[in-house]
Amino acid sequence: MKEIDLVIPNPTGLHARPAKVLVNLAKKFQADISLQHGAKKANAKSMVSVLTLGATQGSPVHLQVSGVDEDAAFEALVEAINAGLGDLEPAPAAVAVSQAPIPQVTAPAASSSTLAGALRGIAASPGIGIGPVFHLEQADTSLDALEELCRNPKMNLEAAMQQAREDLARLHQGMVEKKLGAEAAIFEAHIELMEDPELHEAVQESVAGGENVVRAWQTAIEARAAMVATLPDPLLAARADDLRDVGRRVLRLMLGLKEKTLAEAGSPVIVIATDLSPSQTATFDPQRVLGFCITTGGPTAHIAILARALGLPAVVAADEGILSLPEGCMAVIDGNDGLLIPDPSPQVLEQARQRESLWQEQRRVSLAQAGKPAITLDGHHVDVTANIGSLADALEALRQGADGVGLLRTEFLFLERGTGPDEEEQFNVYRDIAAAMRNLPVIVRTLDIGGDKPVSYISMKPELNPFLGERGIRLCFNRPELFQDQLRSILRAAPYGNLRIMFPMVADVTEVRRARAILDDLCRDLNAPAVQVGIMVEVPSAALMADVIAPEVDFFSLGTNDLTQYTLAVDRGHPTMAFMTDGLHPAVLRLIAHTIDAAHKFGKRCDLCGELGADPTALPVLVGLGIDELSVNIRSVPQVKAQVRTLRLADAQSLARRALDCATPQEVRALVKAFQG
Ligand code: PEP
Ligand code: MG
C-alpha cells in the first residue's frame, strides 16, 4: 500500500468539477483508492463520497492506494491533486441576468382587476399573454404516491440508467452546440452522480435484503442527498439538488412516468406551476412561452428579476386555483395587474388583445423616444439610468436611452469562478465600461457578496442568517486586500469616464467614515482625482439615520429590494412568504420619504436602484416623493422615461402624500390605480 499526506490546493476545494476529475482518474485503476479528511474517509471512485468529505482549499487529506497497479495510480493521483484537479484556471463567468432583453410596460391602458373569475397573484413582470395554459409540474415521485407502480416497474435499473445516460448525453451535446459550456457540465456531473459505485453498492445491499429495487434506489439517493445537503460549503451542498434530480430521472424511467416538457406544448403556452427553478426559467424560449404564473415567490425574488430580464409576463404568489385549471384551457395572463383570467369571455379576450397591442405600441413609441430626457408635464426632470452587470449591458443601456448607469453590480466579476479577479482585471473592465458610457455617470457598487451570493473562494463561516451576517461592506472590511484591490482599480479607471463609487449594506455612519478613510488613503497613494462617493440605503437603520449620514456622502441610492425585506422581516427569496415583500408598503415608503428629505436637506441627490423603480404603479409615488434618479432594468428604461413624461409633479406630490397615510400596500396600490384612472 502507498500513502501520503497532501493539501488541497485548488480554490474551490473538492467541489463537483475537481471531484469529477479525481473520480474519473481513480476509476482508471484497479487499485482501491481512498482519501481521508479529518474523520471522514471517502472511496475516491465515488463522487458522492468525495463530495461529502467537504474538503476546501488548504484542507489536509490523506491518500491511500493499494492494489496491483498502485504505483501508477499513486503517481497519477498525487500529481493531479497537486496540480489542482483541473481547477486552477478560473471558470467562465456566469452570464449576468441583466444581459437579456427586458420588455416593460407603462401604466396599463385598462385594468382587468375587477374581472369575475380572475385568479389573483402578484405582478412580477409586466406584459399581457393570451393562450392555452400548460401545467409544468414535476411528477410526484414520492414513493407513497407510487406504491402500486413500484411493484410493477416498467424498466429494470440497468435499462433505466442506460436510457438516462443517453438522454443526459443528448442534453449535454445540445448545450455544447449552443456554446453553453457551464450548463453542459451539469449534465456530465449528473451522469457521474448516477454511476456512483457506492450508491450502487447501497442499492444492491438493500435489494439483497429483500427491498424493492425502486424503493432501494430512491432511499439510497435520498440518504446521500441529505448527507450532501448538510455540507457547510454552499457550493457543495447545492449538489444535493443534482443528486435528487438525476435520481428522479432514473426513477421516472423505471416507473414509466412521462416527464412533461415544454416541447410537448404544440403552440405557445402560459406556464402554470407551483414553483419554477431559475435554471428552468432561464431555458424558457419567449417563442414558446407567453408568460408564467406560479403559486409561490415574490416580486423581488430572482425568478421575478429573471422574468423581467426575459421580457416574459409573470404572476407570482398566485391563487392556488391556477393549479386546478384544465390543461389547455384558454387564459389571459396579465403581468401588469398580477392576474390570470381563465376562460375569458369574447369581450374580455378582445379587451386583452387590445391591451396587448397597445402595450406593444407603447413599447415601440417609448423606445423611439428613449434618447430624450424624462421630464414631467410641468418641467421636472428625473434621470433614468440602468442597472447593469457587464460591458455588454453598458452598450445595451446606451441603446435603450439610459442617462447613465445607476448601479453597476460588480459581483458578476467575482461569481461562478475559481479565483477572484485581480486589480488589473478589474481595472480593465471598469475602464472599458467607463469609456463605453461616454462620460455619462456610472455608479460602481463595491462588492456585495455574502447573503444569498456566496463565493466559493472566499471562505466564510456558515451563518444561520446569512442575510443578517457578513455581507456587502461588512465582508469587505473583513478582507482589506479584496476591498483595496477593488477600490484601487475603480480609482484608476475613473479618469476614463465618469465613475462614482457606492458602498452596499451600510448600516450606519461609522461604516461610511471607515470606508471613506480607506478610499481617501488609496486616493492619496495613487494621486488619483477624487470621485463622488455614495451609499446604498437598504438597511432600515441607514434610512432612519439618513440625516446624520447625508453630510458625509455625495449621494444616496435606495436599494428597495433589500430595504423592503429588512423592513418587513421577510426574506425576498422565501418560497411562500416573499409575496409580502411589496416595496409599496407604507412602512417602506415612509423610510424612502425620510431618506429623500434628508438628502435634499443637505443638497445631496437621492436615487433609487431597486426593482420598485420599474413598477408602473410605484413610479408616480416615487416621483412625487422627490426621487432624483431611477435606475432600472435596462429594457425598462424607455418605458420608465415615457411614464415620467405623462406625469405632473404637483399631482404626483399630492398622490405621494396620500400614499404615506395609507395603512397597507394594497391601499397604496388602489390609490395609485384610481390616480391613473
Ligand atoms: C437592492 O437591494 O434594492 C439592490 C438594488 O441591490 P441587490 O438587488 O443587488 O441586493
Ligand atoms: Mg441590495
mmCIF file with all atom_site columns, all heavy atoms in Angstrom, residues 353-369:
data_model
loop_
_atom_site.group_PDB
_atom_site.id
_atom_site.type_symbol
_atom_site.label_atom_id
_atom_site.label_alt_id
_atom_site.label_comp_id
_atom_site.label_asym_id
_atom_site.label_entity_id
_atom_site.label_seq_id
_atom_site.pdbx_PDB_ins_code
_atom_site.Cartn_x
_atom_site.Cartn_y
_atom_site.Cartn_z
_atom_site.occupancy
_atom_site.B_iso_or_equiv
_atom_site.pdbx_formal_charge
_atom_site.auth_seq_id
_atom_site.auth_comp_id
_atom_site.auth_asym_id
_atom_site.auth_atom_id
_atom_site.pdbx_PDB_model_num
ATOM 1   N N   . ARG A 1 353 ? -56.640 41.557 -26.056 1.00 0.00 ? 353 ARG A N   1
ATOM 2   C CA  . ARG A 1 353 ? -55.892 41.708 -27.323 1.00 0.00 ? 353 ARG A CA  1
ATOM 3   C C   . ARG A 1 353 ? -55.560 43.176 -27.559 1.00 0.00 ? 353 ARG A C   1
ATOM 4   O O   . ARG A 1 353 ? -54.460 43.521 -27.974 1.00 0.00 ? 353 ARG A O   1
ATOM 5   C CB  . ARG A 1 353 ? -56.721 41.166 -28.494 1.00 0.00 ? 353 ARG A CB  1
ATOM 6   C CG  . ARG A 1 353 ? -56.766 39.673 -28.494 1.00 0.00 ? 353 ARG A CG  1
ATOM 7   C CD  . ARG A 1 353 ? -57.023 39.087 -29.881 1.00 0.00 ? 353 ARG A CD  1
ATOM 8   N NE  . ARG A 1 353 ? -57.046 37.645 -29.754 1.00 0.00 ? 353 ARG A NE  1
ATOM 9   C CZ  . ARG A 1 353 ? -58.145 36.905 -29.704 1.00 0.00 ? 353 ARG A CZ  1
ATOM 10  N NH1 . ARG A 1 353 ? -59.338 37.468 -29.827 1.00 0.00 ? 353 ARG A NH1 1
ATOM 11  N NH2 . ARG A 1 353 ? -58.069 35.597 -29.542 1.00 0.00 ? 353 ARG A NH2 1
ATOM 12  N N   . GLN A 1 354 ? -56.549 44.013 -27.271 1.00 0.00 ? 354 GLN A N   1
ATOM 13  C CA  . GLN A 1 354 ? -56.313 45.452 -27.478 1.00 0.00 ? 354 GLN A CA  1
ATOM 14  C C   . GLN A 1 354 ? -55.218 45.946 -26.544 1.00 0.00 ? 354 GLN A C   1
ATOM 15  O O   . GLN A 1 354 ? -54.346 46.717 -26.924 1.00 0.00 ? 354 GLN A O   1
ATOM 16  C CB  . GLN A 1 354 ? -57.593 46.230 -27.197 1.00 0.00 ? 354 GLN A CB  1
ATOM 17  C CG  . GLN A 1 354 ? -58.586 46.172 -28.340 1.00 0.00 ? 354 GLN A CG  1
ATOM 18  C CD  . GLN A 1 354 ? -59.895 46.843 -27.961 1.00 0.00 ? 354 GLN A CD  1
ATOM 19  O OE1 . GLN A 1 354 ? -59.976 47.561 -26.988 1.00 0.00 ? 354 GLN A OE1 1
ATOM 20  N NE2 . GLN A 1 354 ? -60.933 46.570 -28.731 1.00 0.00 ? 354 GLN A NE2 1
ATOM 21  N N   . ARG A 1 355 ? -55.283 45.475 -25.289 1.00 0.00 ? 355 ARG A N   1
ATOM 22  C CA  . ARG A 1 355 ? -54.278 45.912 -24.312 1.00 0.00 ? 355 ARG A CA  1
ATOM 23  C C   . ARG A 1 355 ? -52.894 45.424 -24.723 1.00 0.00 ? 355 ARG A C   1
ATOM 24  O O   . ARG A 1 355 ? -51.899 46.125 -24.575 1.00 0.00 ? 355 ARG A O   1
ATOM 25  C CB  . ARG A 1 355 ? -54.627 45.389 -22.921 1.00 0.00 ? 355 ARG A CB  1
ATOM 26  C CG  . ARG A 1 355 ? -55.910 45.959 -22.386 1.00 0.00 ? 355 ARG A CG  1
ATOM 27  C CD  . ARG A 1 355 ? -56.157 45.474 -20.974 1.00 0.00 ? 355 ARG A CD  1
ATOM 28  N NE  . ARG A 1 355 ? -55.184 46.028 -20.066 1.00 0.00 ? 355 ARG A NE  1
ATOM 29  C CZ  . ARG A 1 355 ? -54.782 45.444 -18.943 1.00 0.00 ? 355 ARG A CZ  1
ATOM 30  N NH1 . ARG A 1 355 ? -55.269 44.284 -18.611 1.00 0.00 ? 355 ARG A NH1 1
ATOM 31  N NH2 . ARG A 1 355 ? -53.909 46.030 -18.171 1.00 0.00 ? 355 ARG A NH2 1
ATOM 32  N N   . GLU A 1 356 ? -52.855 44.196 -25.249 1.00 0.00 ? 356 GLU A N   1
ATOM 33  C CA  . GLU A 1 356 ? -51.568 43.662 -25.657 1.00 0.00 ? 356 GLU A CA  1
ATOM 34  C C   . GLU A 1 356 ? -50.979 44.477 -26.804 1.00 0.00 ? 356 GLU A C   1
ATOM 35  O O   . GLU A 1 356 ? -49.803 44.856 -26.792 1.00 0.00 ? 356 GLU A O   1
ATOM 36  C CB  . GLU A 1 356 ? -51.707 42.196 -26.055 1.00 0.00 ? 356 GLU A CB  1
ATOM 37  C CG  . GLU A 1 356 ? -50.360 41.522 -26.106 1.00 0.00 ? 356 GLU A CG  1
ATOM 38  C CD  . GLU A 1 356 ? -50.350 40.278 -26.959 1.00 0.00 ? 356 GLU A CD  1
ATOM 39  O OE1 . GLU A 1 356 ? -51.374 39.976 -27.589 1.00 0.00 ? 356 GLU A OE1 1
ATOM 40  O OE2 . GLU A 1 356 ? -49.289 39.625 -27.005 1.00 0.00 ? 356 GLU A OE2 1
ATOM 41  N N   . SER A 1 357 ? -51.837 44.801 -27.788 1.00 0.00 ? 357 SER A N   1
ATOM 42  C CA  . SER A 1 357 ? -51.272 45.554 -28.915 1.00 0.00 ? 357 SER A CA  1
ATOM 43  C C   . SER A 1 357 ? -50.946 46.985 -28.505 1.00 0.00 ? 357 SER A C   1
ATOM 44  O O   . SER A 1 357 ? -49.963 47.564 -28.968 1.00 0.00 ? 357 SER A O   1
ATOM 45  C CB  . SER A 1 357 ? -52.166 45.489 -30.150 1.00 0.00 ? 357 SER A CB  1
ATOM 46  O OG  . SER A 1 357 ? -53.430 45.947 -29.843 1.00 0.00 ? 357 SER A OG  1
ATOM 47  N N   . LEU A 1 358 ? -51.729 47.515 -27.569 1.00 0.00 ? 358 LEU A N   1
ATOM 48  C CA  . LEU A 1 358 ? -51.426 48.854 -27.067 1.00 0.00 ? 358 LEU A CA  1
ATOM 49  C C   . LEU A 1 358 ? -50.068 48.846 -26.342 1.00 0.00 ? 358 LEU A C   1
ATOM 50  O O   . LEU A 1 358 ? -49.237 49.739 -26.498 1.00 0.00 ? 358 LEU A O   1
ATOM 51  C CB  . LEU A 1 358 ? -52.525 49.300 -26.101 1.00 0.00 ? 358 LEU A CB  1
ATOM 52  C CG  . LEU A 1 358 ? -52.448 50.746 -25.641 1.00 0.00 ? 358 LEU A CG  1
ATOM 53  C CD1 . LEU A 1 358 ? -52.760 51.686 -26.792 1.00 0.00 ? 358 LEU A CD1 1
ATOM 54  C CD2 . LEU A 1 358 ? -53.426 50.998 -24.504 1.00 0.00 ? 358 LEU A CD2 1
ATOM 55  N N   . TRP A 1 359 ? -49.870 47.778 -25.577 1.00 0.00 ? 359 TRP A N   1
ATOM 56  C CA  . TRP A 1 359 ? -48.612 47.634 -24.835 1.00 0.00 ? 359 TRP A CA  1
ATOM 57  C C   . TRP A 1 359 ? -47.428 47.585 -25.800 1.00 0.00 ? 359 TRP A C   1
ATOM 58  O O   . TRP A 1 359 ? -46.414 48.252 -25.610 1.00 0.00 ? 359 TRP A O   1
ATOM 59  C CB  . TRP A 1 359 ? -48.705 46.370 -23.976 1.00 0.00 ? 359 TRP A CB  1
ATOM 60  C CG  . TRP A 1 359 ? -47.453 46.036 -23.226 1.00 0.00 ? 359 TRP A CG  1
ATOM 61  C CD1 . TRP A 1 359 ? -46.824 46.807 -22.296 1.00 0.00 ? 359 TRP A CD1 1
ATOM 62  C CD2 . TRP A 1 359 ? -46.680 44.839 -23.343 1.00 0.00 ? 359 TRP A CD2 1
ATOM 63  N NE1 . TRP A 1 359 ? -45.705 46.162 -21.824 1.00 0.00 ? 359 TRP A NE1 1
ATOM 64  C CE2 . TRP A 1 359 ? -45.591 44.955 -22.438 1.00 0.00 ? 359 TRP A CE2 1
ATOM 65  C CE3 . TRP A 1 359 ? -46.796 43.678 -24.096 1.00 0.00 ? 359 TRP A CE3 1
ATOM 66  C CZ2 . TRP A 1 359 ? -44.634 43.959 -22.301 1.00 0.00 ? 359 TRP A CZ2 1
ATOM 67  C CZ3 . TRP A 1 359 ? -45.840 42.690 -23.937 1.00 0.00 ? 359 TRP A CZ3 1
ATOM 68  C CH2 . TRP A 1 359 ? -44.782 42.831 -23.056 1.00 0.00 ? 359 TRP A CH2 1
ATOM 69  N N   . GLN A 1 360 ? -47.588 46.781 -26.867 1.00 0.00 ? 360 GLN A N   1
ATOM 70  C CA  . GLN A 1 360 ? -46.519 46.689 -27.870 1.00 0.00 ? 360 GLN A CA  1
ATOM 71  C C   . GLN A 1 360 ? -46.281 48.054 -28.512 1.00 0.00 ? 360 GLN A C   1
ATOM 72  O O   . GLN A 1 360 ? -45.145 48.456 -28.749 1.00 0.00 ? 360 GLN A O   1
ATOM 73  C CB  . GLN A 1 360 ? -46.889 45.671 -28.971 1.00 0.00 ? 360 GLN A CB  1
ATOM 74  C CG  . GLN A 1 360 ? -47.103 44.257 -28.484 1.00 0.00 ? 360 GLN A CG  1
ATOM 75  C CD  . GLN A 1 360 ? -45.817 43.604 -27.990 1.00 0.00 ? 360 GLN A CD  1
ATOM 76  O OE1 . GLN A 1 360 ? -44.755 44.228 -28.005 1.00 0.00 ? 360 GLN A OE1 1
ATOM 77  N NE2 . GLN A 1 360 ? -45.919 42.375 -27.512 1.00 0.00 ? 360 GLN A NE2 1
ATOM 78  N N   . GLU A 1 361 ? -47.368 48.757 -28.770 1.00 0.00 ? 361 GLU A N   1
ATOM 79  C CA  . GLU A 1 361 ? -47.257 50.066 -29.398 1.00 0.00 ? 361 GLU A CA  1
ATOM 80  C C   . GLU A 1 361 ? -46.554 51.049 -28.459 1.00 0.00 ? 361 GLU A C   1
ATOM 81  O O   . GLU A 1 361 ? -45.679 51.816 -28.872 1.00 0.00 ? 361 GLU A O   1
ATOM 82  C CB  . GLU A 1 361 ? -48.674 50.568 -29.761 1.00 0.00 ? 361 GLU A CB  1
ATOM 83  C CG  . GLU A 1 361 ? -48.748 51.943 -30.393 1.00 0.00 ? 361 GLU A CG  1
ATOM 84  C CD  . GLU A 1 361 ? -47.989 52.048 -31.720 1.00 0.00 ? 361 GLU A CD  1
ATOM 85  O OE1 . GLU A 1 361 ? -47.537 51.014 -32.256 1.00 0.00 ? 361 GLU A OE1 1
ATOM 86  O OE2 . GLU A 1 361 ? -47.814 53.192 -32.196 1.00 0.00 ? 361 GLU A OE2 1
ATOM 87  N N   . GLN A 1 362 ? -46.944 50.991 -27.167 1.00 0.00 ? 362 GLN A N   1
ATOM 88  C CA  . GLN A 1 362 ? -46.299 51.868 -26.188 1.00 0.00 ? 362 GLN A CA  1
ATOM 89  C C   . GLN A 1 362 ? -44.803 51.596 -26.138 1.00 0.00 ? 362 GLN A C   1
ATOM 90  O O   . GLN A 1 362 ? -43.989 52.512 -26.049 1.00 0.00 ? 362 GLN A O   1
ATOM 91  C CB  . GLN A 1 362 ? -46.893 51.622 -24.792 1.00 0.00 ? 362 GLN A CB  1
ATOM 92  C CG  . GLN A 1 362 ? -48.235 52.284 -24.582 1.00 0.00 ? 362 GLN A CG  1
ATOM 93  C CD  . GLN A 1 362 ? -48.818 51.921 -23.220 1.00 0.00 ? 362 GLN A CD  1
ATOM 94  O OE1 . GLN A 1 362 ? -48.546 50.855 -22.672 1.00 0.00 ? 362 GLN A OE1 1
ATOM 95  N NE2 . GLN A 1 362 ? -49.630 52.807 -22.690 1.00 0.00 ? 362 GLN A NE2 1
ATOM 96  N N   . ARG A 1 363 ? -44.450 50.319 -26.198 1.00 0.00 ? 363 ARG A N   1
ATOM 97  C CA  . ARG A 1 363 ? -43.027 49.961 -26.154 1.00 0.00 ? 363 ARG A CA  1
ATOM 98  C C   . ARG A 1 363 ? -42.301 50.539 -27.359 1.00 0.00 ? 363 ARG A C   1
ATOM 99  O O   . ARG A 1 363 ? -41.202 51.063 -27.268 1.00 0.00 ? 363 ARG A O   1
ATOM 100 C CB  . ARG A 1 363 ? -42.858 48.444 -26.143 1.00 0.00 ? 363 ARG A CB  1
ATOM 101 C CG  . ARG A 1 363 ? -43.205 47.819 -24.823 1.00 0.00 ? 363 ARG A CG  1
ATOM 102 C CD  . ARG A 1 363 ? -42.767 46.383 -24.784 1.00 0.00 ? 363 ARG A CD  1
ATOM 103 N NE  . ARG A 1 363 ? -41.355 46.255 -25.108 1.00 0.00 ? 363 ARG A NE  1
ATOM 104 C CZ  . ARG A 1 363 ? -40.815 45.172 -25.655 1.00 0.00 ? 363 ARG A CZ  1
ATOM 105 N NH1 . ARG A 1 363 ? -41.558 44.135 -25.939 1.00 0.00 ? 363 ARG A NH1 1
ATOM 106 N NH2 . ARG A 1 363 ? -39.539 45.126 -25.914 1.00 0.00 ? 363 ARG A NH2 1
ATOM 107 N N   . ARG A 1 364 ? -42.963 50.424 -28.521 1.00 0.00 ? 364 ARG A N   1
ATOM 108 C CA  . ARG A 1 364 ? -42.338 50.907 -29.745 1.00 0.00 ? 364 ARG A CA  1
ATOM 109 C C   . ARG A 1 364 ? -42.117 52.419 -29.677 1.00 0.00 ? 364 ARG A C   1
ATOM 110 O O   . ARG A 1 364 ? -41.034 52.929 -29.941 1.00 0.00 ? 364 ARG A O   1
ATOM 111 C CB  . ARG A 1 364 ? -43.225 50.552 -30.943 1.00 0.00 ? 364 ARG A CB  1
ATOM 112 C CG  . ARG A 1 364 ? -42.537 50.529 -32.284 1.00 0.00 ? 364 ARG A CG  1
ATOM 113 C CD  . ARG A 1 364 ? -43.529 50.370 -33.420 1.00 0.00 ? 364 ARG A CD  1
ATOM 114 N NE  . ARG A 1 364 ? -44.590 51.386 -33.435 1.00 0.00 ? 364 ARG A NE  1
ATOM 115 C CZ  . ARG A 1 364 ? -44.420 52.656 -33.750 1.00 0.00 ? 364 ARG A CZ  1
ATOM 116 N NH1 . ARG A 1 364 ? -43.231 53.099 -34.091 1.00 0.00 ? 364 ARG A NH1 1
ATOM 117 N NH2 . ARG A 1 364 ? -45.437 53.502 -33.713 1.00 0.00 ? 364 ARG A NH2 1
ATOM 118 N N   . VAL A 1 365 ? -43.163 53.127 -29.240 1.00 0.00 ? 365 VAL A N   1
ATOM 119 C CA  . VAL A 1 365 ? -43.082 54.588 -29.183 1.00 0.00 ? 365 VAL A CA  1
ATOM 120 C C   . VAL A 1 365 ? -42.061 55.021 -28.129 1.00 0.00 ? 365 VAL A C   1
ATOM 121 O O   . VAL A 1 365 ? -41.228 55.896 -28.364 1.00 0.00 ? 365 VAL A O   1
ATOM 122 C CB  . VAL A 1 365 ? -44.476 55.187 -28.863 1.00 0.00 ? 365 VAL A CB  1
ATOM 123 C CG1 . VAL A 1 365 ? -44.377 56.682 -28.591 1.00 0.00 ? 365 VAL A CG1 1
ATOM 124 C CG2 . VAL A 1 365 ? -45.440 54.904 -30.003 1.00 0.00 ? 365 VAL A CG2 1
ATOM 125 N N   . SER A 1 366 ? -42.118 54.377 -26.959 1.00 0.00 ? 366 SER A N   1
ATOM 126 C CA  . SER A 1 366 ? -41.198 54.815 -25.912 1.00 0.00 ? 366 SER A CA  1
ATOM 127 C C   . SER A 1 366 ? -39.751 54.533 -26.303 1.00 0.00 ? 366 SER A C   1
ATOM 128 O O   . SER A 1 366 ? -38.851 55.305 -25.977 1.00 0.00 ? 366 SER A O   1
ATOM 129 C CB  . SER A 1 366 ? -41.553 54.209 -24.552 1.00 0.00 ? 366 SER A CB  1
ATOM 130 O OG  . SER A 1 366 ? -41.690 52.843 -24.653 1.00 0.00 ? 366 SER A OG  1
ATOM 131 N N   . LEU A 1 367 ? -39.535 53.446 -27.046 1.00 0.00 ? 367 LEU A N   1
ATOM 132 C CA  . LEU A 1 367 ? -38.172 53.152 -27.496 1.00 0.00 ? 367 LEU A CA  1
ATOM 133 C C   . LEU A 1 367 ? -37.709 54.219 -28.492 1.00 0.00 ? 367 LEU A C   1
ATOM 134 O O   . LEU A 1 367 ? -36.571 54.686 -28.448 1.00 0.00 ? 367 LEU A O   1
ATOM 135 C CB  . LEU A 1 367 ? -38.113 51.756 -28.125 1.00 0.00 ? 367 LEU A CB  1
ATOM 136 C CG  . LEU A 1 367 ? -36.734 51.226 -28.444 1.00 0.00 ? 367 LEU A CG  1
ATOM 137 C CD1 . LEU A 1 367 ? -35.853 51.196 -27.192 1.00 0.00 ? 367 LEU A CD1 1
ATOM 138 C CD2 . LEU A 1 367 ? -36.804 49.834 -29.044 1.00 0.00 ? 367 LEU A CD2 1
ATOM 139 N N   . ALA A 1 368 ? -38.633 54.623 -29.363 1.00 0.00 ? 368 ALA A N   1
ATOM 140 C CA  . ALA A 1 368 ? -38.277 55.650 -30.349 1.00 0.00 ? 368 ALA A CA  1
ATOM 141 C C   . ALA A 1 368 ? -37.894 56.962 -29.664 1.00 0.00 ? 368 ALA A C   1
ATOM 142 O O   . ALA A 1 368 ? -37.102 57.740 -30.186 1.00 0.00 ? 368 ALA A O   1
ATOM 143 C CB  . ALA A 1 368 ? -39.452 55.858 -31.304 1.00 0.00 ? 368 ALA A CB  1
ATOM 144 N N   . GLN A 1 369 ? -38.464 57.203 -28.462 1.00 0.00 ? 369 GLN A N   1
ATOM 145 C CA  . GLN A 1 369 ? -38.178 58.477 -27.777 1.00 0.00 ? 369 GLN A CA  1
ATOM 146 C C   . GLN A 1 369 ? -37.197 58.310 -26.624 1.00 0.00 ? 369 GLN A C   1
ATOM 147 O O   . GLN A 1 369 ? -37.032 59.208 -25.803 1.00 0.00 ? 369 GLN A O   1
ATOM 148 C CB  . GLN A 1 369 ? -39.494 59.045 -27.235 1.00 0.00 ? 369 GLN A CB  1
ATOM 149 C CG  . GLN A 1 369 ? -40.466 59.369 -28.360 1.00 0.00 ? 369 GLN A CG  1
ATOM 150 C CD  . GLN A 1 369 ? -41.765 59.932 -27.839 1.00 0.00 ? 369 GLN A CD  1
ATOM 151 O OE1 . GLN A 1 369 ? -42.032 59.876 -26.650 1.00 0.00 ? 369 GLN A OE1 1
ATOM 152 N NE2 . GLN A 1 369 ? -42.575 60.456 -28.732 1.00 0.00 ? 369 GLN A NE2 1
#
